[in-house]
Amino acid sequence: MRMPKIIDTDYLVIGSGLAGLYFASHASKHGKVTIVTKRSLRDGTTVLAQAGIASVLGDDDSFEAHVNDTLITGAGLCNEDVVRLTVESGPDRIKDLVDNFGVVFSGQKEGKFDLGLEGGHTKRRVVHIEDFTGEGLMARLEASVRRNTSIRIIENTMAVDLLSMSKYGGGNSCFGAFVLDRETNTIDTIIARSTIIASGGAGKVYLYTSNPDTSVGDGIALAYRAGAEIENMEFYQFHPTCLYHPNAKSFLISEALRGEGGVLRRMDGTAFMSSYHSRGELAPRDVVARAIDSELKKSGDDSALLDMTHLDGVFLEHRFPNIFKKLIEFGIDMRESPIPVVPAAHYSCGGIAVDQNGRTNIQNLFAIGEASHTGLHGACRMASNSLLEALVFAHRASDAVKECELVRPGGIIPWKSGHAVSSDEGVVVSQNWDEIRRTMWNYVGIVRSDRRLARAKARIDLIRDEIRNYYWDFLVTPELLELRNLALVADIIVHGAQRRQESRGLHYNLDHPEKSDFHKRSTVLFRGVGPCHS
Ligand code: SIN
């Protein structure tokens, strides 16, 4: 333990994926930026993104078509103005990446690109870097922020709680955060004119996920505790095709494979998607994930198969080099045998409610990327719209923060650990962590019911009581902070799912199998109207 520090900055960014780094690059033109990230800069979700960025770039495409596809996939809950604004901003953001960050997309030549196709899209519009788009983008953005002298990067540091004027008898305004330096276990204070949450989603809430270990929903939990509005968290997206293999931890098999003609089959070799949707394998993602889930429940099989064997082997090797290589490592040659796949939690369509510039309801607090809810995705996100949203809203927020003025108290009350002593009960953390994830998978997964949700609620309540007692008794550790956040986010998802007594998009409840006009609106939760915040 060392002496705690107080750090002053203009803009504090919590998280270091595409949204955070892109915001930082643009905001650094008019202020000092500090990025805190709980592991290393690249340990987030963006790096794992395979498919790409959806944007209208093809000659046969139009803004109208992209808007319509997004609205249809979003099942009645998208904000049409936000959809239009995002779609129409796409080509400029792609141009910025190419011209100013040196990104080179596949097939790039004189403003033209090789464009991929994915579920829900009626046109080819996914600009990509082979099948490792996230890795390619992060390499360029990381290089750019690391050489920028107006950007300070603090790794291995985790936000504990936001600093709020309400604790000082002021209004609901944010002026930074307490952060935990994981190496020294010291809690520092960062004071900022505006604070930007860019910490991604919460796939780790579920037992099986395509997300990395860092996706715990920290930012959403921080914002909720500070009084922010959280919108539509019941819409958790399950990716239909993650690799099913005992040694593969969360390896995604991109939807782009189905875009190039991949066929989903039962273990006995029969194709099944055409009996679920007229667009077959390219139906919106909620439909495909539910179809696989239903097939597995009927057959008792452990996985479905994604068959690419009818496609040209040379093409597959070149179009999907990353997936091809990874599968070979697992002993699967996709040119010759079908790929075993299962659905897994993938993307949070809900998040911290923001306006068209990424502003939350708390003064000087912004949210961008997967942690936010802009209104783009509605009840189901269309593939590859998320990187687009991250770019568009990070850019808009980087402009909006110019107007923020620092609102802070004269003296800052430092973090207090009270009479806490070091915990030697790590088992409490691991036990509760596993229980939350299993409960969420079994009761709040692809198919829900009133009874399953009630069971989940009862268990999560008990776990949260135990964490609450433990949290204030012991010194905080990164594991305990993550557990506390994970449990709160799980509670928010269950709460949202219980309120939504209908089936729409990604939320499917056996007791309410139809859409209802009454529920054609957002679920907005905040302290006092959602789960207990502590
Ligand atoms: C994928 O490559 O299938 C993931 C794309 C996405 O989630 O948008």
Side-chain angles (χ1 to χ4, degrees):
M1 182 95 92
R2 56 168 172 73
M3 286 299 289
K5 292 186 274 196
I6 295 187
I7 298 165
D8 285 291
T9 191
D10 289 310
Y11 311 125
L12 167 61
V13 181
I14 299 172
S16 61
L18 180 69
L21 300 193
Y22 194 65
F23 170 90
S25 295
H26 280 283
S28 68
K29 293 172 196 157
H30 48 78
K32 281 204 165 20
V33 183
T34 300
I35 300 173
V36 295
T37 188
K38 66 180 174 179
R39 300 210 183 156
S40 76
L41 203 68
R42 293 237 208 150
D43 276 331
T45 316
T46 304
V47 154
L48 302 180
Q50 294 175 350
I53 309 169
S55 184
V56 175
L57 297 160
D59 293 337
D60 65 339
D61 201 1
S62 66
F63 289 146
E64 216 45 46
H66 191 177
V67 167
N68 277 338
D69 292 348
T70 303
L71 294 177
I72 289 168
T73 304
L77 283 194
C78 299
N79 176 326
E80 189 166 344
D81 292 341
V82 167
V83 174
R84 203 164 286 285
L85 168 161
T86 311
V87 162
E88 290 180 0
S89 306
D92 284 347
R93 291 305 104 223
I94 302 298
K95 186 167 169 12
D96 184 38
L97 289 175
V98 171
D99 293 351
N100 301 319
F101 292 84
V103 173
V104 181
F105 291 104
S106 294
Q108 184 175 312
K109 200 163 171 222
E110 291 161 9
K112 300 279 177 221
F113 306 90
D114 175 47
L115 299 172
L117 181 65
E118 289 180 81
H121 295 273
T122 51
K123 298 285 175 198
R124 284 191 171 265
R125 61 169 74 99
V126 181
V127 63
H128 61 99
I129 304 170
E130 295 181 344
D131 61 347
F132 46 83
T133 307
E135 175 77 46
L137 292 174
M138 285 298 282
R140 304 308 306 179
L141 279 148
E142 178 175 2
S144 162
V145 295
R146 287 214 187 267
R147 64 172 176 259
N148 186 328
T149 53
S150 296
I151 300 177
R152 175 173 180 180
I153 299 163
I154 309 180
E155 290 171 297
N156 287 315
T157 297
M158 187 174 172
V160 178
D161 264 320
L162 297 174
L163 296 169
S164 168
M165 283 302 291
S166 57
K167 296 254 161 67
Y168 296 80
N172 203 2
S173 176
C174 174
F175 60 96
F178 285 123
V179 299
L180 172 71
D181 172 350
R182 296 165 65 112
E183 273 156 26
T184 61
N185 233 43
T186 313
I187 295 192
D188 297 314
T189 306
I190 304 185
I191 296 172
R193 255 167 65 196
S194 40
T195 302
I196 296 85
I197 294 180
S199 50
K204 293 300 279 190
V205 157
Y206 288 98
L207 190 57
Y208 302 109
T209 174
S210 63
N211 291 183
D213 290 345
T214 48
S215 296
V216 172
D218 300 313
I220 295 167
L222 287 175
Y224 184 82
R225 286 197 293 270
E229 291 177 350
I230 309 293
E231 199 164 344
N232 284 347
M233 285 297 291
E234 62 275 26
F235 296 117
Y236 219 98
Q237 184 166 68
F238 290 77
H239 195 290
T241 58
C242 275
L243 178 61
Y244 178 75
H245 187 280
N247 302 333
K249 194 180 167 203
S250 339
F251 186 70
L252 194 68
I253 303 295
S254 176
E255 200 154 307
L257 273 75
R258 278 179 279 130
E260 298 300 348
V263 177
L264 283 164
R265 299 187 187 281
R266 301 180 183 98
M267 290 308 273
D268 66 8
T270 50
F272 56 84
M273 270 316 300
S274 60
S275 57
Y276 287 89
H277 197 277
S278 57
R279 297 204 61 210
E281 272 69 11
L282 289 177
R285 208 171 263 185
D286 56 319
V287 177
V288 184
R290 253 193 324 274
I292 296 178
D293 185 68
S294 151
E295 289 295 328
L296 297 185
K297 289 212 166 90
K298 270 191 271 177
S299 65
D301 290 334
D302 290 328
S303 70
L305 297 171
L306 179 61
D307 188 4
M308 307 295 290
T309 56
H310 52 294
L311 297 165
D312 179 57
V314 177
F315 166 73
L316 290 178
E317 216 179 321
H318 286 93
R319 173 67 178 85
F320 303 110
N322 170 39
I323 296 171
F324 186 85
K325 183 164 159 274
K326 197 72 176 188
L327 289 175
I328 293 287
E329 280 167 31
F330 290 118
I332 302 163
D333 184 339
M334 68 161 137
R335 294 170 302 189
E336 284 165 14
S337 41
I339 310 163
V341 290
V342 282
H346 183 60
Y347 190 88
S348 174
C349 292
I352 305 162
V354 295
D355 70 7
Q356 295 188 357
N357 293 311
R359 271 195 203 91
T360 70
N361 60 309
I362 298 179
Q363 189 185 3
N364 293 345
L365 180 68
F366 291 71
I368 50 178
E370 191 178 347
S372 69
H373 176 279
T374 63
L376 175 68
H377 307 309
C380 181
R381 176 186 67 107
M382 197 164 65
S384 293
N385 266 355
S386 42
L387 294 183
L388 172 66
E389 179 191 51
L391 293 168
V392 170
F393 281 80
H395 183 249
R396 295 177 70 87
S398 73
D399 203 35
V401 289
K402 280 196 267 187
E403 291 163 17
C404 296
E405 283 177 19
L406 179 62
V407 182
R408 59 162 289 185
I412 310 253
I413 307 164
W415 175 266
K416 281 202 196 78
S417 289
H419 300 293
V421 290
S422 265
S423 144
D424 58 357
E425 287 284 343
V427 67
V428 174
V429 174
S430 56
Q431 164 68 30
N432 283 330
W433 182 265
D434 291 346
E435 203 173 330
I436 292 168
R437 301 184 66 210
R438 199 167 285 281
T439 301
M440 291 298 287
W441 183 260
N442 288 332
Y443 297 152
V444 198
I446 296 173
V447 176
R448 303 160 179 181
S449 71
D450 287 349
R451 275 175 68 184
R452 290 178 195 172
L453 293 176
R455 279 190 204 122
K457 179 77 185 131
R459 303 205 78 87
I460 305 275
D461 279 349
L462 277 178
I463 294 171
R464 291 199 63 214
D465 275 346
E466 192 168 321
I467 296 170
R468 222 170 273 127
N469 296 332
Y470 196 75
Y471 185 81
W472 297 113
D473 282 349
F474 295 98
L475 283 179
V476 289
T477 60
E479 294 73 27
L480 186 52
L481 287 178
E482 285 194 329
L483 175 66
R484 181 185 183 223
N485 292 340
L486 189 85
L488 173 54
V489 172
D491 208 351
I492 294 172
I493 295 173
V494 175
H495 223 89
Q498 285 189 307
R499 281 187 171 215
R500 187 166 290 286
Q501 305 220 326
E502 64 160 354
S503 290
R504 179 187 297 276
L506 298 159
H507 172 75
Y508 186 78
N509 184 330
L510 289 167
D511 295 311
H512 313 279
E514 304 297 333
K515 282 199 192 87
S516 118
D517 284 345
F518 177 78
H519 286 286
K520 196 177 173 203
R521 56 188 165 155
S522 280
T523 311
V524 181
L525 300 178
F526 49 92
R527 269 168 38 183
V529 174
C532 172
H533 67 279
S534 60

